[in-house]
Amino acid sequence: IMADHLDLLLGVLLMASPMFGIPSCSSDGRIALFRFCNLTEIPPVLNTTERLLLSFNYIRTVTATSFPLLEQLQLLEIGSQFTPLSIDKEAFRNLPSLRILDLGKSQIDFLHPDAFQGLSHLFELRLFACGLSDVVLRDGYFRNLTSLIRLDLSYNEIGSLYLHPSFQELNSLKSIDFSFNQISILCEEELKPLQGKMLSLFRLKATYLYIRVSVDWEKCLNPFRNIRLETLDVSDNGWTVAITGNFSNAIRGSQISSLILTYHIMGSGFGFQNLKDPDENIFTGLERSSVKRLDLSHGYIFSLNPRLFKTLKDLKVLNLSYNKINRIADKAFYGLENLQILNISYNLLGELYNSNFEGLRSVAYIDLQKNHIGIIQHQTFRFLKELHTLDLRDNALKTISFIPDLLTVFLGGNKLVTLPNVNFKANFIHLAENKLENLADLYELLQVSQLQILILNQNRFSSCSPSHAPSGNRNLKQLFLGENMLQLVWETGFCWDVFKGLSQLQILYLNNNYLNFLPPGVFSDLTALRGLSLNSNRLTVLPPGSLPANLEILDISRNHLLSPDPGLFASLSMLDITHNEFICECELRTFISWLNQTNVTLLGSPADINCMYPNSLLGVSLYSVSMEDCDEEEVFKSLKFSLYILFIVTWTLFLVSVLIVAKFRGFCFICYKTAQRLLFHDRTQRIESDRYRYDAYLCFSSKDFEWVQNALLKHLDTQYSDRNRFHLCFEERDFVPGENHITNIQAAIWSSRKIICLVSRHFLRDGWCLEAFSYAQSRCLSDLSSVLIMVVVGSLSQYQLMKHQSIRGFIQKQQYLRWPEDLQDVGWFLNKLSQCILKKEKGKKEDSRIQLRSIATVS
Ligand SMILES: *[C@@H]1O[C@H](CO)[C@@H](O)[C@H](O)[C@H]1NC(C)=O
Ligand SMILES: *[C@@H]1O[C@H](CO)[C@@H](O)[C@H](O)[C@H]1NC(C)=O
Ligand SMILES: *[C@@H]1O[C@H](CO)[C@@H](O)[C@H](O)[C@H]1NC(C)=O
Ligand SMILES: *[C@@H]1O[C@H](CO)[C@@H](O)[C@H](O)[C@H]1NC(C)=O
Ligand SMILES: *[C@@H]1O[C@H](CO)[C@@H](O)[C@H](O)[C@H]1NC(C)=O
Ligand SMILES: *[C@@H]1O[C@H](CO)[C@@H](O)[C@H](O)[C@H]1NC(C)=O
Ligand SMILES: *[C@@H]1O[C@H](CO)[C@@H](O)[C@H](O)[C@H]1NC(C)=O
Ligand SMILES: *[C@@H]1O[C@H](CO)[C@@H](O)[C@H](O)[C@H]1NC(C)=O
């Protein structure tokens, strides 16, 4: 067996060895490459040739004299001729060392029964799609091929497998492929010459076997009697439950390690009833066949019936993928005590119950990916003592509390939002493509102390609870966090310590996380990190020391790096820095020259390392940008430097004065006022008396009175101090008691030169105030002048003001004042308010004249 395997291996090597470098239609002495060369006969080649490749030509005949003596030739490929081929007696006798003969896909018109004689070393004969009939089997064409291991007769026109007795002597034969022929029946009589042999592969895929004729199994007996098969492929034959059952009964006792029954039509499918699901009798015939692998994938099984596999005591691998399984009956897996791998992926399971996997005492790996499982009963996997891998990818799970202690857990592509109490002991956890949001789950997972590989890409990590202290993890080697939103986490200033204590981490993926900065020291504990991907983020700078110390491979392509410092890449052996936004100015000089001579392997195409700015260099490769002009600039550097110093000094002085003014503006204002008074000898304008009784009507909410009195009245109203010069009007003092409130307001408005509304929170809630505001506005309209002054007091937003229609109307058209927040600005503000009160509006008459004139012009 060892020798066979070596031969097979050699075959693979022979076929796979490189043929690059040899021009078409020529030979290098050992390999002669003549594919697609319009040849009509065998070309002369050196006697040292080991491989002769002649497919895709027009060769019509091969006779005993076609080939010169080529004692070294091991591989002859002469298939896929564009013309029909005829092969004469002992056609290959001059090729005594031939090991592989490939005639596949040549239409063989004539094949002499002795065509293959003399090929005593041949171990592989490829005769697929050659238009051959039963005759090749019946008439002993393969006599004396004592080394033959593999015979490929697929895609021919073979209707019956009557084998010539000479097959008995083919002691090396291991693998025969009859797939895609039309063999309607196969009985004991036909394969008699194979009895006593052990074959590793017998393929009968897609041969219409047993489905076109009704078989009398009493007469047909067991086609594989006394033949030991490692793999029997009877897939894609359209077998129903009845045919499979009859077949398994017929081959009772024959040893078959691996039975391939894929692409069957067993099972009722989804929504149909006419075809039966396999029942407990279907495999009873296989009881003594020691079947270790059974592949029933790609079928229509809807329901796994009770005791379906009860006779398959030796079964180790069961593949039920790509069926329509929706129901697992109680005891469906009864008897599968040695099963190690159970594959139910790509089915229609929606929920799992405690009893589903009962009896699977040895199962180590259950593959349930691509179902629709939304709920799993708590004990489902708990009693499977040997289980170490559970694949639940691409289901609809929202919770994971049912997961027992496992080494490997696949949970990607589910609907997990949080992971409450993760308490498994896995070393591999796959959670990609879920909906995890809070980094708390990552902190939680890092507490799984054995964990080595953690896959969390394509989640939604975007928040973090600052309460979590990093626990670190001394086993974690690979962490996949790509395609999340870590930028949102880190920009809050929290969780900058997620990677603290991951001292063994070797590979970290942070691609596609919208990162525009790296938190300082975020990688400082990652001393073992060798590979880091920051691909597709928005980083513009990499500050010194931001990369882990021993990093070897860095992918920072598709960021916005402007002018990276090559010093950062000292430890690297590979770097992908394509698709960034380099600014091709003198600062980039060090990077460009580093790029030109570095030993670091640069991944990606050099054409993708190019300038983003200035526009004249947009898209130009950094390798072709010249930085020579930068040297000339050196000359100007000293001049520039002194200019720079001068500029800095001036700027500093300016800033200092601005600062002083800003900081002590209240004091400055007082100084200014005092100086003004002294200079102009207190010639404060006297208010010209006019027809108004008051200078201003102060409209405010009575709840604000205390404040108004202190802040305004004391500084403006004559009654409060002799130094004040305004006669103000306000409700608490000047309204006529007992009079109608509206009348009072109207009187106040019409007898004051200006109306000052102190809009505060209380004002907005006070109906009278709002009413007064509207009246004041209507006076503005009738006067055609802006007598209304609005002062906003307190932190009212634009939105709060806009809610009131009259105020909205006002602030859309005119400016309003805001009471200053800083106490020192009050003096200045009161001065400004005084000026507003004094400001004379244009007379009513003059205004209306202008209006009339403009109306006249229009008409
Ligand atoms: C084969 O013949 C075709 C058609 O005459 C021609 O285009 C092609 O170049 C030939 N190939 C060789 C390798 O001579
Ligand atoms: C190949 O042919 C040459 C003569 O053309 C002969 O001398 C040599 O021995 C042959 N080699 C082999 C390996 O047959
Ligand atoms: C081929 O086998 C036949 C018997 O089947 C035998 O007579 C003959 O000598 C063998 N030929 C060779 C070349 O070994
Ligand atoms: C299966 O075998 C039984 C008994 O020989 C026979 O009656 C039945 O027709 C067979 N079914 C098929 C589909 O071959
Ligand atoms: C069925 O599953 C087994 C193991 O789970 C695997 O080895 C085999 O390749 C699968 N068959 C097909 C057709 O995918
Ligand atoms: C299960 O079968 C599917 C499809 O045939 C295959 O892709 C998968 O790898 C198998 N699982 C295992 C564990 O072999
Ligand atoms: C790159 O280096 C070579 C010498 O190794 C030098 O001739 C060339 O000018 C350099 N190119 C740039 C853009 O620095
Ligand atoms: C590149 O490697 C060579 C030889 O290994 C070494 O002499 C040279 O200094 C290296 N250059 C840099 C920039 O590391």
Side-chain angles (χ1 to χ4, degrees):
I1 288 173
M2 198 62 200
D4 291 346
H5 280 209
L6 282 180
D7 273 351
L8 291 178
L9 198 65
L10 180 64
V12 173
L13 288 179
L14 276 179
M15 291 306 289
S17 314
M19 281 168 286
F20 321 114
I22 306 168
S24 199
C25 308
S26 69
S27 161
D28 73 347
R30 293 175 64 227
I31 301 172
L33 183 55
F34 286 93
R35 289 179 184 149
F36 296 101
C37 292
N38 295 344
L39 298 175
T40 51
E41 48 193 49
I42 312 295
V45 289
L46 291 174
N47 62 4
T48 51
T49 304
E50 289 167 12
R51 283 175 241 174
L52 179 52
L53 308 168
L54 294 171
S55 31
F56 309 103
N57 282 296
Y58 296 86
I59 297 167
R60 286 171 180 280
T61 52
V62 186
T63 63
T65 54
S66 295
F67 291 97
L69 184 63
L70 298 173
E71 279 178 313
Q72 314 280 316
L73 196 72
Q74 297 194 5
L75 168 71
L76 173 62
E77 190 193 273
I78 192 173
S80 302
Q81 297 302 317
F82 298 124
T83 46
L85 186 61
S86 86
I87 299 176
D88 219 342
K89 188 177 175 183
E90 294 179 18
F92 306 103
R93 69 166 183 206
N94 279 344
L95 314 174
S97 311
L98 200 63
R99 284 162 171 265
I100 300 177
L101 174 56
D102 186 346
L103 285 157
K105 278 187 135 180
S106 279
Q107 175 65 32
I108 298 180
D109 269 3
F110 171 74
L111 184 64
H112 193 278
D114 287 336
F116 302 123
Q117 292 309 300
L119 292 173
S120 57
H121 291 100
L122 192 72
F123 73 70
E124 180 160 352
L125 181 51
R126 298 183 193 147
L127 288 168
F128 55 90
C130 290
L132 300 173
S133 68
D134 321 349
V135 179
V136 280
L137 298 174
R138 211 174 41 220
D139 291 354
Y141 283 60
F142 306 111
R143 288 180 346 269
N144 300 338
L145 297 180
T146 48
S147 303
L148 191 67
I149 298 174
R150 280 196 290 219
L151 178 58
D152 186 349
L153 282 164
S154 56
Y155 296 95
N156 280 294
E157 283 149 30
I158 297 170
S160 132
L161 295 190
Y162 247 103
L163 299 187
H164 189 263
S166 63
F167 270 91
Q168 186 78 57
E169 280 126 48
L170 302 183
N171 288 326
S172 305
L173 196 61
K174 284 277 167 290
S175 154
I176 314 179
D177 192 346
F178 293 117
S179 308
F180 300 96
N181 283 284
Q182 303 206 358
I183 304 158
S184 42
I185 190 161
L186 178 61
C187 293
E188 185 166 323
E189 191 60 22
E190 289 145 19
L191 297 185
K192 223 167 199 155
L194 295 183
Q195 288 189 6
K197 289 193 190 303
M198 203 208 72
L199 298 180
S200 62
L201 178 63
F202 197 89
R203 296 193 69 198
L204 287 166
K205 178 179 176 159
T207 49
Y208 301 94
L209 196 62
Y210 305 131
I211 62 162
R212 291 190 168 169
V213 292
S214 74
V215 187
D216 182 356
W217 287 104
E218 305 269 304
K219 285 211 188 101
C220 187
L221 301 174
N222 175 5
F224 298 112
R225 181 177 307 280
N226 206 7
I227 302 173
R228 288 178 60 195
L229 295 175
E230 244 167 57
T231 302
L232 173 63
D233 182 353
V234 283
S235 58
D236 208 358
N237 279 322
W239 286 10
T240 59
V241 171
I243 295 173
T244 310
N246 280 359
F247 177 75
S248 77
N249 281 329
I251 62 170
R252 192 176 289 269
S254 293
Q255 299 296 295
I256 297 169
S257 298
S258 175
L259 180 58
I260 302 181
L261 256 168
T262 60
Y263 296 96
H264 56 86
I265 61 165
M266 292 185 275
S268 58
F270 179 76
F272 295 94
Q273 300 291 325
N274 46 346
L275 292 175
K276 263 175 61 181
D277 279 311
D279 56 25
E280 64 174 310
N281 299 319
I282 184 167
F283 296 122
T284 44
L286 298 177
E287 190 166 6
R288 286 180 291 119
S289 296
S290 322
V291 179
K292 293 195 173 59
R293 305 169 71 96
L294 176 60
D295 197 337
L296 284 167
S297 60
H298 297 276
Y300 299 88
I301 303 173
F302 181 77
S303 169
L304 287 180
N305 287 329
R307 295 166 195 266
L308 180 52
F309 307 105
K310 64 175 194 256
T311 48
L312 304 178
K313 297 254 182 297
D314 298 308
L315 202 63
K316 290 205 160 75
V317 180
L318 174 58
N319 194 345
L320 291 163
S321 62
Y322 289 104
N323 276 280
K324 311 277 181 209
I325 299 170
N326 174 261
R327 225 171 61 81
I328 301 179
D330 280 354
K331 298 209 159 63
F333 298 116
Y334 173 86
L336 293 177
E337 286 171 4
N338 289 305
L339 193 74
Q340 290 170 1
I341 302 178
L342 174 60
N343 194 341
I344 322 186
S345 57
Y346 300 89
N347 275 287
L348 301 177
L349 291 170
E351 60 276 308
L352 296 177
Y353 297 96
N354 285 347
S355 59
N356 282 163
F357 300 112
E358 219 168 85
L360 296 174
R361 275 197 296 175
S362 313
V363 77
Y365 193 139
I366 300 185
D367 189 344
L368 286 162
Q369 61 177 311
K370 297 270 186 191
N371 278 278
H372 308 282
I373 304 168
I375 187 158
I376 296 181
Q377 221 179 349
H378 210 258
Q379 302 293 320
T380 307
F381 301 109
R382 300 250 167 215
F383 54 87
L384 306 176
K385 292 284 171 267
E386 300 295 319
L387 191 66
H388 62 62
T389 302
L390 186 54
D391 193 340
L392 282 163
R393 272 178 291 178
D394 299 308
N395 279 290
L397 295 168
K398 289 182 175 159
T399 153
I400 55 163
S401 52
F402 56 84
I403 304 252
D405 282 353
L406 296 174
L407 287 178
T408 309
V409 188
F410 292 91
L411 284 164
N414 279 286
K415 297 184 173 173
L416 301 170
V417 178
T418 54
L419 303 174
N421 51 44
V422 184
N423 51 6
F424 32 92
K425 300 196 169 63
N427 58 26
F428 176 100
I429 302 180
H430 185 296
L431 276 163
E433 294 178 66
N434 276 287
K435 298 176 177 172
L436 299 176
E437 280 167 6
N438 199 309
L439 275 194
D441 293 320
L442 172 56
Y443 285 102
E444 190 86 6
L445 286 163
L446 289 177
Q447 299 201 350
V448 178
S449 59
Q450 295 93 327
L451 194 59
Q452 294 185 8
I453 300 179
L454 177 57
I455 303 178
L456 285 167
N457 38 310
Q458 292 189 52
N459 275 281
R460 297 179 182 169
F461 284 116
S462 54
S463 63
C464 131
S465 344
S467 59
H468 275 274
S471 55
N473 187 312
R474 300 243 234 93
N475 286 307
L476 192 70
K477 297 206 164 54
Q478 301 185 12
L479 177 57
F480 295 74
L481 273 168
E483 295 172 79
N484 279 286
M485 288 175 266
L486 288 181
Q487 171 66 24
L488 295 182
V489 180
W490 283 342
E491 74 188 12
T492 61
F494 296 122
C495 288
W496 289 9
D497 58 5
V498 269
F499 306 132
K500 274 271 173 320
L502 302 182
S503 56
Q504 295 303 311
L505 192 66
Q506 294 174 359
I507 291 176
L508 174 60
Y509 279 84
L510 289 174
N511 53 298
N512 303 74
N513 267 292
Y514 305 95
L515 297 177
N516 59 30
F517 77 106
L518 294 174
V522 70
F523 300 136
S524 57
D525 275 14
L526 306 183
T527 46
L529 199 73
R530 295 176 54 239
L532 172 64
S533 173
L534 288 166
N535 183 310
S536 301
N537 280 293
R538 296 170 177 173
L539 298 170
T540 47
V541 286
L542 284 178
S546 53
L547 295 179
N550 301 315
L551 196 64
E552 289 171 23
I553 303 168
L554 172 65
D555 181 355
I556 193 157
S557 61
R558 295 179 197 279
N559 275 276
H560 300 177
L561 290 183
L562 306 172
S563 180
D565 170 13
L568 281 165
F569 308 138
S571 64
L572 297 186
S573 60
M574 280 182 205
L575 169 67
D576 189 343
I577 199 165
T578 54
H579 299 285
N580 273 285
E581 303 189 341
F582 299 108
I583 295 186
C584 293
E585 288 185 335
C586 291
E587 293 77 63
L588 202 60
R589 194 162 43 147
T590 43
F591 180 68
I592 289 180
S593 68
W594 176 83
L595 211 53
N596 195 16
Q597 43 89 52
T598 182
N599 287 349
V600 174
T601 310
L602 291 162
L603 306 169
S605 153
D608 292 331
I609 306 181
N610 43 34
C611 305
M612 190 65 175
Y613 184 86
N615 283 345
S616 57
L617 291 175
L618 183 69
V620 173
S621 166
L622 254 56
Y623 289 93
S624 49
V625 168
S626 162
M627 284 287 146
E628 275 163 12
D629 298 346
C630 292
D631 293 337
E632 289 166 30
E633 278 176 25
E634 291 285 290
V635 182
F636 298 108
K637 266 238 170 110
S638 55
L639 179 62
K640 255 165 90 181
F641 186 67
S642 38
L643 276 174
Y644 174 72
I645 293 290
L646 188 67
F647 173 73
I648 288 291
V649 169
T650 325
W651 182 243
T652 315
L653 285 174
F654 174 70
L655 278 185
V656 167
S657 31
V658 165
L659 257 179
I660 288 173
V661 169
K663 193 77 188 156
F664 303 105
R665 57 182 185 274
F667 180 70
C668 291
F669 183 73
I670 291 169
C671 294
Y672 162 75
K673 273 283 158 184
T674 321
Q676 199 185 35
R677 241 198 326 275
L678 290 176
L679 272 177
F680 300 105
H681 305 292
D682 200 8
R683 272 188 299 166
T684 356
Q685 311 152 256
R686 283 260 56 96
I687 308 156
E688 329 160 26
S689 53
D690 48 19
R691 59 190 172 100
Y692 295 108
R693 201 168 137 211
Y694 302 109
D695 294 310
Y697 162 41
L698 219 47
C699 172
F700 53 86
S701 163
S702 53
K703 289 186 183 151
D704 290 330
F705 181 71
E706 273 305 288
W707 177 84
V708 176
Q709 179 158 295
N710 288 327
L712 282 160
L713 294 173
K714 282 185 180 164
H715 301 285
L716 297 175
D717 191 78
T718 42
Q719 206 179 36
Y720 281 83
S721 158
D722 290 340
R723 296 180 58 185
N724 295 343
R725 49 194 160 128
F726 293 120
H727 292 286
L728 299 178
C729 166
F730 57 92
E731 179 182 339
E732 280 73 3
R733 186 184 66 193
D734 302 306
F735 278 22
V736 181
E739 186 72 74
N740 183 329
H741 203 76
I742 293 283
T743 321
N744 263 328
I745 289 173
Q746 284 178 330
I749 285 174
W750 287 101
S751 51
S752 306
R753 188 181 315 117
K754 292 285 161 82
I755 298 108
I756 302 173
C757 286
L758 297 167
V759 179
S760 67
R761 233 170 263 283
H762 293 134
F763 185 98
L764 293 178
R765 285 197 214 109
D766 190 328
W768 290 119
C769 289
L770 292 170
E771 195 65 22
F773 192 93
S774 306
Y775 276 118
Q777 264 188 316
S778 51
R779 191 187 139 193
C780 291
L781 279 178
S782 74
D783 273 12
L784 290 170
S785 65
S786 52
V787 294
L788 177 58
I789 301 166
M790 175 169 144
V791 180
V792 176
V793 183
S795 55
L796 287 174
S797 67
Q798 186 84 357
Y799 166 72
Q800 283 166 307
L801 294 172
M802 295 290 254
K803 277 202 298 201
H804 301 274
Q805 199 189 346
S806 49
I807 298 185
R808 181 166 67 225
F810 180 83
I811 57 182
Q812 276 168 351
K813 283 193 236 96
Q814 291 181 49
Q815 286 190 329
Y816 58 93
L817 304 175
R818 247 182 206 280
W819 187 263
E821 278 168 28
D822 197 337
L823 219 54
Q824 59 172 326
D825 292 330
V826 169
W828 171 84
F829 178 83
L830 289 175
N831 186 54
K832 185 167 177 199
L833 190 61
S834 307
Q835 279 167 9
C836 285
I837 297 172
L838 290 172
K839 195 166 145 206
K840 224 159 161 17
E841 297 302 332
K842 275 181 195 158
K844 182 170 161 180
K845 306 217 171 76
E846 204 182 333
D847 250 346
S848 37
R849 231 184 9 252
I850 294 173
Q851 255 205 350
L852 281 177
R853 213 173 38 221
S854 58
I855 290 168
T857 340
V858 171
S859 53

